Amino acid sequence: MYTAWNHRREALVPVFKEGGQQAMQAAAEELALTLRALTRNLKSYSAWHHRKWVIGHRLTSLEAEITLVETLLDADDRNFHGWAYRRFVADLMGMPVQRELEYTTRKIQHNFSNYSAWHYRSKLLPLLHSEPGVPAAADDSPSAAAERQAMISSSRAGATGALVLHQTLEIEYELVSQAFFTEPEDQSGWIYHRWLLGCSVAHWQAAPESEAERARLADVLGCQLALVSDLLDLEPGSVWARKTRAHLLGLMQRVGGAAGGSAGRGSGGEAADCVAAAAAWEDLEGLDPYRAGYYRHACSVSARASV
Amino acid sequence: MSGVYWGATALHILGQPERLDKAQLIAWVMSCQKPSGGFAGSEKHDAHLLYTLSALQILALYDSLDLVDASQVAAYVAGLQRGDGSFAGDEWGEIDTRFSYCALYSLALLRRLDAANVPAAVDFLRQCRNFDGGFGAQPGGESHAGQVFTCVAALSIAGALDEVVDADLLGWWISERQTPSGGLNGRPEKLQDVCYSWWALSALSTLGRLAWIDAPALTAFILGCQDLELGGISDRPDDAVDVFHTFFGLAGLSLLGHPGLAPIDPVFALPVTTVTRLNLAAQRLSCA
């Protein structure tokens, strides 16, 4: 099939180059054709690529593409081609990060199990504070706007390093707790939660000497542990809650260890955290035997860290 | 072309390579080479990186790589690299981390890795890394076990696994691909499928964390997908068999050390004997 699409593109190149009404008409026909192909097979790499190739010529409406891909994602909300296409069009349009974030919120609230939407949030959140709170001012020079857009595109694309703001993380912890209290055995929210914990840890890692950051992290971990314990009271059999608890205890062990004497915590506290983390991982070996190898590894990491 | 590679490699894993006629096979592969040096999926089709790698893998399997002009094929492959380090599948510019694997692996087979900008290729793969430790098809793309295989293997060939991959995080994410069926899925909350017995498992093996899933349960799942009358393996129990799933099922079993199967290499997806004969180098991690 890919060769047939190649032949079409060869024929279209001169038409698109010519421009004008004929080019716009030809582009519209290609979009109709790829839509028919995608309706038959939403996972066709070559049909999606052909559509991107046509759209890249900027002969047709981009807003219409967003509407179309929303309809496709309503029908198949985990289709990664559809999500990739949305990001492609959003980048071409210079779509505000806030609007994309709102879209993922809608998809998540419709279905907490939409891992694709949680994934996209992880790409968008680090961009939130790099975007102006108000629409670009009229005197914003084109080059400055282009530069900002390039930065947003590259970050949306996966550049790492930007810290997610504390207040943003608080909102995210709240959203994801709704997900795991609603569906405790769905992986999607829990994997996202683990990433959020990593984001919280990153603030401390960025300022390892800061007692304020360390205390703030200890507070976040304590709150999350209390939340997971509440869930375990309601759902004692939740393996995912137990995994998260074990992971949290491991993190607390690290943070507690770093406090040393200065925070007034004796070595007894650290040792207790270490024992608790190791015991939590050991429990999981029995509860979730498929992953026993991983739990043994995590347990040995906890044990080594305590030495 | 990829179908022929799957079938031929499956037969080698089964220890029955003589079931295909080598001379006929090689003649057909060479008939699919285009003037650019790249290979097409079949006669009368256009050249593409996917089929260029499959063709070279078949030639490697049959010790016939000397039939190609290495400089010409390497120039075709390296010519598809973009400024950001990514590789296009062909002249029409589709970008996908599968093509990064195809390109680096093809160049490694041709002993021409120096023809591409390997550090830039590594930077691009780093851009495709996600919050869960996995990798997507393009920057921003969701993690998928198929892309995890191609990115981990490409980084392994580039010798950059240790600088790009968080092996504990990714290994954990892959271990969570094993569902109660014993089979592996490709993304969270999706159905298991035999093809991930290769894609997810090979990456775990390269990361030195094969013990992070339950091997007997996965073995039982793959064996349960066999058609005991027709032969072959399907995606899930009781579905129709095909050469794609048959190869990935056998490859997974081989990685798990299933008796009677020749060992397969997790990075190069060829029998270990072939990889050893060609002296192909790749980085592997261990679980500290």
Side-chain angles (χ1 to χ4, degrees):
Chain A
M1 275 312 283
Y2 71 101
T3 305
W5 291 113
N6 290 352
H7 286 321
R8 292 193 76 82
R9 283 189 284 267
E10 277 163 17
L12 286 163
V13 166
V15 180
F16 285 174
K17 210 171 196 174
E18 194 67 29
Q21 194 58 37
Q22 221 175 349
M24 284 160 70
Q25 176 70 23
E29 281 168 18
E30 289 308 292
L31 295 186
L33 179 71
T34 54
L35 183 57
R36 283 205 296 282
L38 290 172
T39 309
R40 244 180 301 163
N41 177 13
L42 205 46
K43 297 177 177 176
S44 166
Y45 283 91
S46 45
W48 279 112
H49 176 61
H50 191 67
R51 196 170 184 96
K52 281 169 84 167
W53 182 80
V54 172
I55 287 294
H57 287 81
R58 305 297 292 263
L59 294 159
T60 53
S61 155
L62 293 177
E63 195 61 51
E65 292 306 293
I66 291 288
T67 308
L68 173 82
V69 80
E70 286 189 8
T71 309
L72 294 178
L73 288 175
D74 284 344
D76 180 4
D77 65 8
R78 293 290 307 280
N79 185 288
F80 64 80
H81 299 277
W83 282 98
Y85 187 69
R86 183 180 174 104
R87 279 186 286 271
F88 168 75
V89 176
D91 277 351
L92 280 183
M93 291 172 77
M95 185 84 92
V97 171
Q98 195 59 45
R99 187 174 153 186
E100 290 300 275
L101 198 63
E102 282 161 12
Y103 179 65
T104 64
T105 309
R106 283 209 304 283
K107 295 305 279 180
I108 286 167
Q109 281 174 341
H110 178 72
N111 176 13
F112 283 129
S113 184
N114 195 330
Y115 189 78
S116 307
W118 291 110
H119 157 79
Y120 194 14
R121 277 183 101 72
S122 79
K123 296 290 174 194
L124 294 167
L125 292 181
L127 307 178
L128 270 186
H129 56 289
S130 66
E131 211 183 24
V134 290
D139 63 356
D140 203 4
S141 73
S143 67
E147 201 176 295
R148 189 181 63 238
Q149 189 53 42
M151 185 182 73
I152 289 172
S153 295
S154 82
S155 304
R156 179 183 278 146
T160 48
L163 291 174
V164 179
L165 296 179
H166 285 299
Q167 68 247 43
T168 306
L169 288 172
E170 272 175 42
I171 297 168
E172 296 305 300
Y173 279 122
E174 169 58 29
L175 178 67
V176 79
S177 71
Q178 290 172 33
F180 57 67
F181 269 88
T182 310
E183 296 176 40
E185 288 321 289
D186 190 291
Q187 301 193 346
S188 316
W190 288 115
I191 295 175
Y192 186 74
H193 184 257
R194 181 137 164 182
W195 175 70
L196 292 179
L197 292 173
C199 292
S200 292
V201 171
H203 280 281
W204 177 49
Q205 283 171 332
E209 303 302 319
S210 162
E211 175 54 26
E213 286 295 351
R214 197 206 61 80
R216 191 200 280 261
L217 175 59
D219 186 45
V220 167
L221 297 177
C223 287
Q224 292 305 308
L225 185 66
L227 203 61
V228 171
S229 301
D230 286 349
L231 178 56
L232 275 169
D233 287 342
L234 296 168
E235 305 269 354
S238 170
V239 173
W240 271 97
R242 286 187 184 276
K243 289 181 213 206
T244 306
R245 184 171 166 273
H247 183 61
L248 277 163
L249 289 168
L251 292 176
M252 291 172 95
Q253 178 192 337
R254 276 170 60 192
V255 178
S262 65
R265 268 192 92 193
S267 59
E270 281 165 52
D273 282 343
C274 169
V275 169
W281 290 121
E282 266 172 23
D283 277 351
L284 280 159
E285 284 183 45
L287 288 169
D288 185 25
Y290 279 4
R291 279 159 281 277
Y294 168 71
Y295 299 131
R296 276 194 290 275
H297 171 76
C299 189
S300 73
V301 170
S302 269
R304 257 178 289 160
S306 70
V307 177
Chain B
M1 186 67 73
S2 298
V4 172
Y5 153 71
W6 295 323
T9 309
L11 285 169
H12 279 75
I13 296 172
L14 288 166
Q16 301 181 39
E18 68 285 354
R19 283 180 179 258
L20 291 177
D21 183 282
K22 174 180 169 179
Q24 205 183 5
L25 200 66
I26 298 303
W28 179 80
V29 169
M30 293 309 294
S31 78
C32 294
Q33 192 176 24
K34 300 289 148 180
S36 61
F39 286 79
S42 186
E43 306 107 301
K44 297 184 187 164
H45 278 266
D46 293 345
H48 195 284
L49 259 184
L50 286 173
Y51 312 116
T52 300
L53 173 62
S54 292
L56 295 176
Q57 284 174 304
I58 298 166
L59 295 175
L61 199 52
Y62 290 94
D63 202 8
S64 302
L65 276 170
D66 55 349
L67 292 177
V68 297
D69 176 345
S71 300
Q72 186 206 15
V73 182
Y76 166 78
V77 172
L80 290 168
Q81 190 170 26
R82 299 296 173 98
D84 63 359
S86 67
F87 285 85
D90 62 17
E91 59 183 303
W92 295 105
E94 183 180 4
I95 301 295
D96 190 307
T97 47
R98 288 177 300 153
F99 309 148
S100 299
Y101 172 67
C102 292
L104 295 183
Y105 184 177
S106 296
L107 293 174
L109 277 172
L110 298 164
R111 315 275 168 211
R112 293 288 197 287
L113 259 179
D114 57 330
N117 184 341
V118 176
V122 168
D123 279 343
F124 178 74
L125 294 168
R126 189 185 281 114
Q127 288 275 313
C128 297
R129 193 178 56 189
N130 291 322
F131 79 119
D132 48 24
F135 293 85
Q138 303 103 13
E142 181 183 344
S143 297
H144 178 290
Q147 311 293 155
V148 167
F149 158 64
T150 58
C151 291
V152 165
L155 290 165
S156 163
I157 293 168
L161 267 183
D162 51 347
E163 45 174 294
V164 178
V165 176
D166 180 339
D168 276 357
L169 180 62
L170 178 54
W172 171 67
W173 185 84
I174 297 174
S175 77
E176 292 293 348
R177 299 307 103 239
Q178 191 163 34
T179 74
S181 68
L184 308 182
N185 61 19
R187 293 188 284 157
E189 302 301 328
K190 301 289 278 186
L191 275 181
Q192 57 279 354
D193 184 313
V194 159
C195 60
Y196 301 114
S197 309
W198 170 255
W199 290 328
L201 200 67
S202 62
L204 262 191
S205 172
T206 304
L207 299 177
R209 284 156 174 78
L210 204 52
W212 288 13
I213 54 111
D214 187 300
L218 178 57
T219 300
F221 174 79
I222 300 171
L223 293 177
C225 295
Q226 285 183 102
D227 184 325
L228 294 174
E229 286 168 22
L230 295 171
I233 299 173
S234 57
D235 57 349
R236 283 183 276 280
D238 301 321
D239 283 355
V241 300
D242 59 66
V243 68
F244 174 91
H245 289 95
T246 302
F247 166 66
F248 288 118
L250 286 170
L253 289 172
S254 165
L255 269 188
L256 295 172
H258 197 71
L261 299 178
I264 191 164
D265 183 276
V267 171
F268 296 105
L270 285 173
V272 169
T273 50
T274 306
V275 173
T276 308
R277 167 168 51 78
L278 293 170
N279 200 19
L280 292 171
Q283 189 185 37
R284 304 278 282 272
L285 298 184
S286 61
C287 184

